[in-house]
Amino acid sequence: MPSVGDTKTVFGRTYVYSNPNQALGPGTWLLSDGEGSLSGEQQTEHKVYGQAVVDSSSIAIHKGMLVYINEAGNAVAASAASLESSRVVGVAIDPANVGQIVQFTQNTAFEFFNAISITDEASSTLDVGQPYYLSSDNPGKWTKNPTRDDASIEVLQCGTAVNEYYMAIDIQPLALKAEVESAARIAGDAALSARIDVLEADPTTATAVANSIAAVNASIASETTARTDADALLMPKTGGTFSGAISGPEPVADSDLATKKFVIDEIAAIPAVDFNLDYGEYA
């Protein structure tokens, strides 16, 4: 059983397997334009918003690719890699090579039977309900995951997948990054403020906050008492009077302190001198 989007060539003609509504029965093979899209009368009619010659600097335009118009008035595969190339004017209705005329459309439900060749994800079907953006990696292509952390990349939403094979084309205005960032921050602040208001009014939250504050205050009081008691037992560097006995290690170095008892014991250990001996006489 073929899958929707599969193609085959018979007697020089290319066909694509299609089934727009699976609830009505199995699909069928329909004549294709060679790129996996319906052709001729089988193809959905789209209003032509404009047309231009494909510029020599552009890649070949595939059906469904996003295009912009350069300063020369020619069509080029669009890219989010720069401000100029992000000014999308529409979606290519039919394929066109360099030097050929490409027609483009906007604001319509566009068939994506060739999604595998015009999306970064290279999937045969679209992700239903997912917004799609202009790719910064592959000119003309769509992507579900635009690059947002590079200051040189423009983020431009161009449509939303309404089902697996159709995209609702809705090219958003290209805003300055500063404006986008400002709007995002304002919206974020408003959301945070609203959430804080809810939390402040919530009795459970209020009780938890009050208990936390009480616990912190008790901890501070305990620490203050401990520090005060410890300070009372310290001997200041500027001097003071000890109220109790002092002991310490036996002095060894010249700078070590010595107690009175240590000094007395050292003196007592000196051998006594017999002053009754005559000069030259030994005890």
Side-chain angles (χ1 to χ4, degrees), residues 235 241-246:
M235 173 61 74
T241 302
F242 288 106
S243 59
I246 302 299

Side-chain angles (χ1 to χ4, degrees), residues 64 66 91 112 118-120 132-133 141-143 158-159 167 169:
L66 297 160
V91 179
F112 265 58
I118 60 173
T119 60
D120 282 353
Y132 279 75
Y133 302 82
K141 291 190 177 184
W142 302 67
T143 182
C158 297
M167 182 83 74
I169 307 301

Side-chain angles (χ1 to χ4, degrees), residues 132-149:
Y132 279 75
Y133 302 82
L134 175 63
S135 171
S136 60
D137 298 324
N138 300 292
K141 291 190 177 184
W142 302 67
T143 182
K144 293 188 299 181
N145 303 298
T147 302
R148 297 178 183 272
D149 56 355

Side-chain angles (χ1 to χ4, degrees), residues 160-172:
T160 303
V162 293
N163 63 37
E164 293 182 339
Y165 302 103
Y166 279 85
M167 182 83 74
I169 307 301
D170 185 17
I171 301 170
Q172 301 297 315

